[in-house]
Amino acid sequence: MKLLLVIASDDTYAFIASYVRPLGFELIRYRHPLKAMDNIDEVDPDGVIISGEDFPRHWKTLVQFIRSERPKDKTAIVVLKGPNFPFEEAAKASYIGVSGIVSENLSNPEELDRLQGILSRYLPIDDGRRSKRIRPAPWDRFGFIACNPADQTFITGNLETISATGISLLPEDAHSVQKLGLDAVLSECSLRVGDRILSPVCKLVRTGKIVSFHFESFPPGEQDFLNDYIQSRPLRERKYIQEHPDYTEV
């Protein structure tokens, strides 16, 4: 499946790419809507993600151009909205055939859930390839620490979300992480999963208040262990609630 990303921001593109590529998409990127329009027939995408924040004057033109020949069941279109995206624009988006709108603040786990929901609703994503992200709860045991290759200090913080393909982290020292630069590869990482310590190789794919790392590789057997631990989460939750009947989710 082909997914066309019309995004000017390198940071936004890198984060979305790290999230949707494991779902099985072939990614094509254009930095301007007019270039995308010129090549839409050649690319023949199954889905399009366009940044309304980067292109407030052009995203509607691109959507209308695509919809003139491609209905929703042929090409899904997602618009990324910024903080100043008015309600009137959302109404126009629905009217001209946008499949869904997602906040450009994709560090918010709920927005990533929304993006995956839209893509899976319109595109045939294999269930086995979906990256189920979870936010750690009392019945989970996760932790992360890595060696910063730039200065040999430790990267630590609160783990915000984790999936089979990566993590998001609220670092104790965000400035130190940002100095690494996007796509920096960290080979000395320790990921606690239950009672085991795994050793993934991680790539920095998003910086900011919350940073995100993509798992590039694991030693043999460790990826399967992480997958199994995530999949068994409902059993841990049920057991925890049975043992803590006064527990209420915050």
Side-chain angles (χ1 to χ4, degrees), residues 145-193:
I145 186 171
C147 180
N148 188 327
D151 55 17
Q152 299 303 304
T153 59
F154 288 121
I155 296 173
T156 59
N158 292 325
L159 199 151
E160 296 287 305
T161 65
I162 183 168
S163 74
T165 59
I167 63 169
S168 63
L169 185 78
L170 179 62
E172 293 183 356
D173 187 354
H175 180 67
S176 174
V177 179
Q178 290 170 1
K179 289 193 296 185
L180 286 171
L182 289 176
D183 296 329
V185 176
L186 284 68
S187 58
E188 297 180 68
C189 304
S190 295
L191 176 69
R192 173 175 286 282
V193 179

Side-chain angles (χ1 to χ4, degrees), residues 51 70 110 112 127 154 158 217 228 233 235:
S51 172
R70 297 167 178 268
E110 293 182 358
L112 279 176
D127 285 339
F154 288 121
N158 292 325
S217 64
D228 291 343
R233 191 175 194 241
L235 297 178

Side-chain angles (χ1 to χ4, degrees), residues 109 132-144 157-163 166-170 191-194 226 229-230 233 236-237 240 247 249-250:
K132 181 180 180 181
R133 292 176 308 102
I134 60 176
R135 278 167 275 186
W139 46 85
D140 301 311
R141 193 180 185 194
F142 293 112
F144 180 79
N158 292 325
L159 199 151
E160 296 287 305
T161 65
I162 183 168
S163 74
I167 63 169
S168 63
L169 185 78
L170 179 62
L191 176 69
R192 173 175 286 282
V193 179
L226 174 59
Y229 190 81
I230 291 174
R233 191 175 194 241
R236 293 196 306 277
E237 179 181 2
Y240 182 90
Y247 170 78
E249 186 174 359
V250 178

Side-chain angles (χ1 to χ4, degrees), residues 52-71:
E53 177 75 358
D54 292 342
F55 309 111
R57 298 173 55 190
H58 294 98
W59 68 265
K60 291 188 289 291
T61 301
L62 176 59
V63 172
Q64 290 173 314
F65 179 82
I66 295 173
R67 283 289 175 255
S68 66
E69 296 184 356
R70 297 167 178 268

Side-chain angles (χ1 to χ4, degrees), residues 58-234:
H58 294 98
W59 68 265
K60 291 188 289 291
T61 301
L62 176 59
V63 172
Q64 290 173 314
F65 179 82
I66 295 173
R67 283 289 175 255
S68 66
E69 296 184 356
R70 297 167 178 268
K72 284 186 177 182
D73 59 358
K74 180 174 177 61
T75 304
I77 302 176
V78 178
V79 172
L80 302 177
K81 66 175 181 177
N84 299 314
F85 195 84
F87 174 80
E88 293 77 11
E89 292 289 81
K92 291 178 184 177
S94 178
Y95 178 75
I96 64 178
V98 170
S99 306
I101 301 174
V102 177
S103 172
E104 190 143 322
N105 179 22
L106 291 171
S107 60
N108 183 340
E110 293 182 358
E111 294 301 322
L112 279 176
D113 288 341
R114 195 188 317 278
L115 175 60
Q116 178 167 309
I118 295 169
L119 293 176
S120 63
R121 189 182 315 131
Y122 291 97
L123 301 174
I125 299 174
D126 182 356
D127 285 339
R129 304 192 72 163
R130 296 183 187 184
S131 180
K132 181 180 180 181
R133 292 176 308 102
I134 60 176
R135 278 167 275 186
W139 46 85
D140 301 311
R141 193 180 185 194
F142 293 112
F144 180 79
I145 186 171
C147 180
N148 188 327
D151 55 17
Q152 299 303 304
T153 59
F154 288 121
I155 296 173
T156 59
N158 292 325
L159 199 151
E160 296 287 305
T161 65
I162 183 168
S163 74
T165 59
I167 63 169
S168 63
L169 185 78
L170 179 62
E172 293 183 356
D173 187 354
H175 180 67
S176 174
V177 179
Q178 290 170 1
K179 289 193 296 185
L180 286 171
L182 289 176
D183 296 329
V185 176
L186 284 68
S187 58
E188 297 180 68
C189 304
S190 295
L191 176 69
R192 173 175 286 282
V193 179
D195 295 327
R196 287 187 60 177
I197 303 296
L198 311 184
S199 302
V201 173
C202 299
K203 182 169 71 173
L204 181 64
V205 294
R206 186 178 180 88
T207 59
K209 182 179 179 181
I210 296 178
V211 300
S212 297
F213 293 98
H214 181 263
F215 298 140
E216 294 291 285
S217 64
F218 281 93
E222 290 191 359
Q223 179 73 74
D224 290 338
F225 182 85
L226 174 59
N227 294 347
D228 291 343
Y229 190 81
I230 291 174
Q231 292 300 320
S232 64
R233 191 175 194 241

Side-chain angles (χ1 to χ4, degrees), residues 12-40:
T12 302
Y13 169 76
F15 187 79
I16 292 181
S18 70
Y19 180 72
V20 300
R21 190 175 280 121
L23 300 178
F25 290 108
E26 174 188 352
L27 305 185
I28 302 98
R29 180 194 183 186
Y30 287 110
R31 297 176 183 271
H32 199 282
L34 296 181
K35 186 69 173 178
M37 290 169 64
D38 289 341
N39 293 278
I40 195 73

